[in-house]
């Protein structure tokens, strides 16, 4: 059975264009994956803390040396990573804020891009541990930022996704 992880970011609820597009995507996905499961993570309602020292210290500590503070800080990160690793496919729907990703989406990314959980470094360099997933990004913006458009150079969000989600192409 296939699993789609659907990440919604916009706080605008039913007024959100990116959510409407991701709902359409999920409906189409479901019709092509009969019996498939859709797991929705709404970042507008999930309390995702920004990185802080306990999270960083816990992530870089051996599991048997982690304090209760480390474990508490890692709890949401572990949950978000488990959702990602369990999914076969991911769709992220997001608005563009100030030419880039909303802060809550950046916080989600900071939790899922974690050493020895979703990537590692070895003698051959970077190794992605969460590879092999198809990721679709839906970006809603107030202007056109596509290649060749007058606003193209202001689009930081698209290139950011290509870097952060595409670094497994270097394996």
């Amino acid at each position: 059975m296939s699993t789609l992880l659907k990440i919604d970011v916009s706080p605008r609820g039913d007024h959100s264009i990116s959510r409407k597009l991701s709902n359409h995507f999920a409906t189409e996905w479901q019709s092509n994956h009969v019996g498939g499961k859709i797991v929705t993570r709404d970042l507008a309602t999930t309390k995702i803390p920004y990185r802080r020292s306990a999270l960083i210290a816990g992530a870089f500590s051996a599991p048997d040396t982690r304090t209760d503070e480390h474990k508490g800080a890692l709890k949401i990160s572990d949950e978000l990573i488990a959702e990602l690793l369990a999914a076969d496919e991911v769709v992220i729907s997001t608005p563009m804020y100030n030419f880039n990703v909303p802060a809550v989406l950046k916080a989600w990314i900071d939790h899922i891009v974690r050493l020895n959980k979703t990537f590692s470094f070895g003698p051959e360099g970077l190794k992605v541990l969460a590879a092999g997933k198809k990721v679709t990004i839906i970006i809603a913006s107030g202007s056109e930022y596509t290649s060749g458009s007058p606003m193209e150079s202001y689009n930081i969000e698209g290139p950011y996704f290509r870097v952060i989600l595409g670094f497994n192409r270097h394996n």
Side-chain angles (χ1 to χ4, degrees):
M1 172 171 71
S2 294
T3 300
L4 172 69
L5 175 58
K6 182 176 172 280
I7 306 293
D8 288 317
V9 179
S10 176
R12 297 186 67 223
D14 292 339
H15 303 288
S16 167
I17 292 170
S18 62
R19 283 177 185 268
K20 287 176 185 173
L21 292 170
S22 73
N23 288 338
H24 177 74
F25 180 95
T27 299
E28 290 296 313
W29 184 91
Q30 190 73 71
S31 70
N32 291 312
H33 298 84
V34 177
K37 181 170 97 170
I38 299 174
V39 174
T40 300
R41 172 61 71 171
D42 186 342
L43 299 186
T45 59
T46 302
K47 301 252 189 261
I48 299 180
Y50 298 115
R51 283 199 156 202
R52 56 183 211 260
S53 62
L55 174 70
I56 295 166
F60 287 97
S61 299
D64 61 335
T65 66
R66 290 181 182 145
T67 66
D68 288 341
E69 183 182 19
H70 294 155
K71 292 173 188 172
L74 290 169
K75 187 175 189 276
I76 185 71
S77 181
D78 290 339
E79 182 181 322
L80 298 173
I81 289 169
E83 283 177 349
L84 175 67
L85 295 177
D88 301 295
E89 197 169 337
V90 180
V91 60
I92 300 172
S93 71
T94 181
M96 178 186 285
Y97 286 170
N98 301 318
F99 314 114
N100 207 339
V101 298
V104 69
L105 180 54
K106 174 67 167 78
W108 179 81
I109 290 168
D110 285 345
H111 280 277
I112 64 155
V113 178
R114 203 166 109 203
L115 184 64
N116 298 323
K117 290 285 188 176
T118 56
F119 78 98
S120 66
F121 286 109
E124 294 85 36
L126 182 67
K127 180 179 181 187
V128 176
L129 306 174
K133 298 180 186 309
K134 180 179 179 185
V135 179
T136 301
I137 307 293
I138 298 170
I139 300 172
S141 64
S143 294
E144 183 179 343
Y145 297 91
T146 57
S147 180
S149 73
M151 299 290 286
E152 175 186 9
S153 66
Y154 292 98
N155 178 7
I156 300 166
E157 190 168 19
Y160 173 73
F161 279 124
R162 282 189 287 283
V163 169
I164 202 69
L165 297 176
F167 68 90
N168 65 349
R169 292 181 299 203
H170 301 290
N171 288 342

